[in-house]
Amino acid sequence: MPLFSNLDLFLFSLIVGLLIYWFMSRKKVEPIPEFKKLDTPAPSTRETSFIEKMKKTGKNIIVFYGSQTGTAEEFANRLSKDAQRYGMKGMAADPEEYDMGELSRLSEIQNSLAIFCMATYGEGDPTDNAQDFYDWLQENDDEDLSGLNYTVFSLGNKTYEHYNAMGKYVDKRLEELGAKRIFDLGLGDDDGNLEEDFISWREQFWPAICEHFGVEALGDDSSIRQYELQEHTDINMNKVYTGEIGRLKSFEVQKPPFDSKNPFLAPVTVNRRLNKAGDRHLMHLELDITGSKIRYESGDHVAVFPTNDSMLVNKLGQILGVDLDVVISLNNLDDESNKKHPFPCPTSYRTALTHYLDITHPPRTNVLYELAQYASDPKDQENMRKMASSSPEGKALYQNWVLDASRNILAILEDMPSLKPPIDHLCELLPRLQARYYSIASSSKVHPNSIHICAVVVEYKTKTGRINKGVATNWLKNKLISDNGHKSTVPMYIRKSQFRLPFKSTNPVIMVGPGTGIAPFVGFIQERGWLKEQGKEVGETVMYFGCRHKNEDFIYQEELEEAEKNGVLTQLNVAFSRDQEQKVYVQHHLKKNKEHLWKLIHTDNAHIYICGDAKNMAKDVQLTFCEIAEELGGMTRTQATDYIKKLMTKGRYSQDVWS
């Protein structure tokens, strides 16, 4: 018999043939024209290069902003717009969107200048969008910025320990890296009049820049529009924004992860009044985060996106004589700008004024300046322009007529009948409505699926006799558990904080939080209780709380007294400021217990936490701790101050305060 049958030979030939074909085809390279696209730069390179964008659009001034609440961004936009009046071209830029390593290349552009509008956040920290830039400045010691012309305007608040720390750091660090400061650092104080500080700096800044670059102001003070109006008469309503912060329809189809651009709609499960009596309304809300994959720690903040009162929105529509339900887009006249619209578009005027624009804060002077042209009474025009100037008379008029009287845009339109601006220009000028932050009043160890908020409803009478209401607190107050059969929801996300319990549970903690400053400590106490239940050894937990009257606003009284009874709180000290003739505050109780406090701090490694009003309480409490260190530690006042500052540096003296 033959060794191989015909079938074997056929199969063998077939296998050899396939192997040869595979080998030959593998070696064969055919040109594919589509691959040529890889030679062009990837889109991300173009997007992160502000140098290429400036060259392409003929810009020579770039204004970077570090902004948490929108003010620094607003100032940056104003400065970039100003450039046009001085024969230059500017652009505002978010440092998070660009490669800041390109600063060294700015000298490639003639007469170029980088302006930095930098806000300071928290305890001297950079804002979220400037964090990467801050890290880059810290890490790049060998960077050569000798060709960079720069100036810095800093936004801060004198109430806080680290006043304007971020702006001061950027100014100093750029100089260290060889950059040339063209104009002095500007310091804006939000505890005083930030707008006035900015105007005074800006009015000196531009003449200095013109002199430096040898250019002359065009003398053109006319209004410069940044956006053009487009009305949509026939549009698919599924493509219209109805209040979403980022992605269209994100409120209908929720997708994690949730953040500032994509908030989670958390159902309200509890909304109760905390105080038993009195004029004020202190409230406790609970938000359900089940299924959201949101995680938080005690001491974190919850950010909520409020909406404006519909009554105010309707009044604005009436006074301007417009149909608020017209669907519009405001499109950037600069095609190359990253910011295509001032708020999500297309949308209706009603949605913009309800969800996206701040209509309750007194408008800044630039808004008055731009709107002045629409006043038919020459006297009104003159006053509005005067208020936007840096003249002493103008500053006094703005302070008295706008700020002291708490006039919002509606009040200004009502009190100045000759002023009739087009609604689209008004929408372009008004700042964005910002998220509001609250210290979380719960522990995720005890409440993993809910976040608790403690807040006081803001409502006051102005000099003009109007009742002004806080946007967020009144909106939260009206969040009923069920609204016509539907669950009330709050768009929210979590912002991480450094306000943390000690890593070692055996460390004692001293908590000082009058009024709603108690919020994070409710979470701390819950967590210390949970640790005890787990059998962990827990150090002393001391609470100093203050309120006006025991029978009115001793909030969380039951919870605090229960925690003391169970030994979770080893000491509860409450100051009722108005229950006796002499006012008693938390600092008085601190002084009374100075020996015990000094032992906890100096011997037992205690961590101190302060939460609440920054302007008075936090300063008074810090001074009290300095006095205790001075008296019981045998120190001079300077040594005692340094001692407390060292505790801050070590993370043993933490503050979560607001002004």
Side-chain angles (χ1 to χ4, degrees):
M1 285 181 67
L3 192 61
F4 297 110
S5 69
N6 287 340
L7 181 61
D8 290 335
L9 288 168
F10 172 74
L11 287 171
F12 179 74
S13 303
L14 183 64
I15 289 163
V16 170
L18 285 169
L19 282 168
I20 292 167
Y21 176 78
W22 175 79
F23 186 78
M24 293 298 289
S25 64
R26 189 172 69 93
K27 290 282 186 186
K28 192 176 179 183
V29 178
E30 288 187 17
I32 302 172
E34 285 78 6
F35 280 7
K36 286 181 181 174
K37 288 179 183 174
L38 293 175
D39 297 338
T40 60
S44 60
T45 311
R46 184 182 61 80
E47 285 165 10
T48 61
S49 173
F50 62 84
I51 297 293
E52 298 310 316
K53 181 168 274 193
M54 288 174 78
K55 285 179 176 177
K56 190 175 175 183
T57 55
K59 306 273 170 68
N60 64 327
I61 291 178
I62 184 161
V63 194
F64 292 104
Y65 56 84
S67 191
Q68 197 72 31
T69 62
T71 309
E73 182 180 358
E74 198 186 317
F75 285 179
N77 282 320
R78 284 161 70 175
L79 288 167
S80 69
K81 219 169 167 184
D82 279 346
Q84 203 168 319
R85 295 193 171 103
Y86 294 92
M88 294 176 264
K89 287 186 82 177
M91 65 178 269
D94 183 341
E96 201 170 33
E97 293 180 5
Y98 293 102
D99 174 9
M100 297 305 283
E102 285 200 327
L103 281 172
S104 58
R105 289 185 57 205
L106 202 59
S107 55
E108 294 173 18
I109 296 168
Q110 196 177 2
N111 282 0
S112 62
L113 172 68
I115 306 172
F116 296 86
C117 284
M118 307 309 289
T120 298
Y121 173 68
E123 295 300 297
D125 302 317
T127 57
D128 293 348
N129 77 312
Q131 183 66 55
D132 290 345
F133 174 47
Y134 176 75
D135 294 342
W136 179 83
L137 284 172
Q138 282 198 310
E139 292 159 11
N140 289 278
D141 284 333
D142 53 351
E143 194 70 37
D144 178 16
L145 298 182
S146 53
L148 174 69
N149 295 317
Y150 81 95
T151 190
V152 179
F153 183 80
S154 186
L155 297 83
N157 188 313
K158 269 199 177 131
T159 303
Y160 294 89
E161 180 83 20
H162 305 279
Y163 175 56
N164 270 320
M166 180 59 180
K168 288 173 181 174
Y169 174 75
V170 170
D171 181 62
K172 176 172 155 284
R173 186 65 176 141
L174 290 173
E175 186 181 45
E176 286 172 357
L177 295 175
K180 184 180 180 185
R181 185 188 296 106
I182 298 297
F183 190 68
D184 295 339
L185 167 70
L187 297 175
D189 178 18
D190 203 25
D191 186 45
N193 188 332
L194 187 59
E195 178 71 10
E196 190 177 301
D197 295 336
F198 176 67
I199 289 171
S200 300
W201 178 84
R202 175 174 160 246
E203 290 211 348
Q204 294 171 62
F205 164 72
W206 282 115
I209 295 308
C210 289
E211 189 180 338
H212 180 83
F213 290 125
V215 296
E216 284 185 30
L218 301 178
D220 179 15
D221 280 346
S222 62
S223 172
I224 300 165
R225 291 293 299 264
Q226 195 176 343
Y227 300 93
E228 64 178 347
L229 172 67
Q230 178 187 2
E231 287 191 4
H232 303 281
T233 49
D234 184 21
I235 189 169
N236 181 346
M237 293 310 284
N238 283 325
K239 293 183 177 175
V240 176
Y241 283 87
T242 56
E244 304 93 327
I245 308 303
R247 178 175 54 85
L248 186 67
K249 301 292 175 194
S250 62
F251 286 170
E252 288 177 28
V253 182
Q254 294 257 278
K255 293 177 188 171
F258 297 105
D259 55 27
S260 59
K261 303 278 194 307
N262 180 38
F264 175 65
L265 288 181
V268 178
T269 54
V270 173
N271 185 349
R272 64 183 169 92
R273 183 171 177 158
L274 282 168
N275 51 323
K276 303 176 188 80
D279 302 335
R280 299 182 307 159
H281 183 102
L282 289 97
M283 57 188 172
H284 172 90
L285 278 92
E286 297 184 13
L287 308 178
D288 185 3
I289 55 168
T290 306
S292 66
K293 297 184 179 173
I294 288 172
R295 300 283 175 266
Y296 74 95
E297 298 290 330
S298 302
D300 282 344
H301 297 109
V302 57
V304 303
F305 289 93
T307 60
N308 289 312
D309 186 338
S310 59
M311 195 171 71
L312 290 181
V313 173
N314 288 333
K315 275 189 181 175
L316 270 172
Q318 286 164 12
I319 207 163
L320 294 171
V322 293
D323 177 1
L324 292 174
D325 296 312
V326 170
V327 176
I328 57 117
S329 287
L330 286 178
N331 302 318
N332 202 320
L333 291 162
D334 179 359
D335 293 336
E336 293 299 319
S337 174
N338 279 14
K339 194 173 182 180
K340 301 300 179 193
H341 317 282
F343 44 77
C345 290
T347 192
S348 68
Y349 286 124
R350 185 182 304 282
T351 301
L353 292 168
T354 304
H355 294 271
Y356 300 136
L357 296 170
D358 186 343
I359 62 173
T360 59
H361 270 104
R364 297 198 185 276
T365 55
N366 67 305
V367 176
L368 300 180
Y369 183 86
E370 298 258 351
L371 293 182
Q373 62 185 307
Y374 303 115
S376 54
D377 183 339
K379 187 71 182 162
D380 287 346
Q381 269 199 32
E382 185 192 336
N383 281 335
M384 290 177 80
R385 292 209 166 104
K386 193 185 285 177
M387 284 190 274
S389 76
S390 63
S391 72
E393 192 189 351
K395 285 178 181 177
L397 185 60
Y398 177 70
Q399 181 68 42
N400 180 50
W401 199 76
V402 178
L403 298 182
D404 294 346
S406 302
R407 274 187 174 90
N408 58 30
I409 191 63
L410 177 61
I412 286 170
L413 291 169
E414 285 175 340
D415 293 346
M416 216 177 248
S418 90
L419 180 60
K420 296 286 180 196
I423 191 170
D424 62 293
H425 198 177
L426 185 65
C427 288
E428 175 179 323
L429 292 169
L430 289 174
R432 281 291 294 268
L433 183 60
Q434 298 294 327
R436 303 305 203 262
Y437 300 98
Y438 296 96
S439 302
I440 296 175
S442 54
S443 163
S444 58
K445 301 284 192 296
V446 181
H447 300 283
N449 291 317
S450 81
I451 282 169
H452 301 181
I453 295 174
C454 162
V456 58
V457 176
V458 177
E459 190 172 315
Y460 59 96
K461 196 171 191 174
T462 72
K463 281 184 176 179
T464 64
R466 293 177 171 93
I467 300 295
N468 274 11
K469 295 181 176 184
V471 177
T473 54
N474 281 276
W475 169 76
L476 285 170
K477 178 189 172 186
N478 294 319
K479 284 283 174 186
L480 308 171
I481 312 305
S482 176
D483 194 1
N484 291 330
H486 299 287
K487 282 183 178 177
S488 283
T489 57
V490 169
M492 52 72 67
Y493 70 97
I494 297 298
R495 191 177 62 197
K496 294 292 172 191
S497 165
Q498 299 302 313
F499 202 71
R500 289 274 182 269
L501 278 168
F503 181 71
K504 287 183 181 173
S505 63
T506 50
N507 282 109
V509 299
I510 300 160
M511 303 172 289
V512 185
T516 54
I518 196 175
F521 303 135
V522 174
F524 280 13
I525 293 163
Q526 287 176 5
E527 190 144 327
R528 300 280 271 195
W530 179 84
L531 287 166
K532 276 181 91 90
E533 283 175 14
Q534 305 303 305
K536 296 267 173 70
E537 189 188 339
V538 176
E540 283 199 50
T541 306
V542 180
M543 177 80 217
Y544 286 85
F545 172 68
C547 60
R548 295 177 183 181
H549 303 282
K550 183 175 183 177
N551 296 327
E552 280 188 14
D553 51 1
F554 186 0
I555 58 176
Y556 298 107
Q557 181 179 356
E558 293 79 9
E559 290 93 325
L560 293 172
E561 289 175 349
E562 181 70 17
E564 190 180 31
K565 196 173 105 180
N566 294 340
V568 175
L569 265 181
T570 46
Q571 198 181 94
L572 172 61
N573 305 278
V574 188
F576 303 110
S577 64
R578 300 181 190 183
D579 273 352
Q580 60 286 309
E581 203 175 318
Q582 288 286 95
K583 286 188 179 172
V584 177
Y585 296 117
V586 283
Q587 57 267 32
H588 297 124
H589 282 273
L590 290 168
K591 282 177 187 168
K592 200 166 69 178
N593 298 328
K594 59 189 176 186
E595 284 84 5
H596 178 233
L597 286 169
W598 182 244
K599 179 188 174 292
L600 290 177
I601 298 163
H602 197 61
T603 310
D604 300 343
N605 209 32
H607 286 232
I608 303 165
Y609 300 91
I610 319 292
C611 183
D613 161 52
K615 197 166 187 177
N616 299 306
M617 182 278 296
K619 281 185 175 175
D620 291 342
V621 166
Q622 190 173 326
L623 181 63
T624 303
F625 278 115
C626 283
E627 286 170 354
I628 291 170
E630 190 179 352
E631 185 186 339
L632 299 177
M635 304 178 192
T636 63
R637 176 52 58 94
T638 307
Q639 287 171 331
T641 304
D642 288 344
Y643 181 86
I644 298 300
K645 286 194 172 168
K646 273 181 190 152
L647 291 181
M648 289 178 178
T649 309
K650 290 175 184 172
R652 283 183 51 207
Y653 191 112
S654 305
Q655 298 186 93
D656 181 1
V657 293
W658 55 85
S659 61

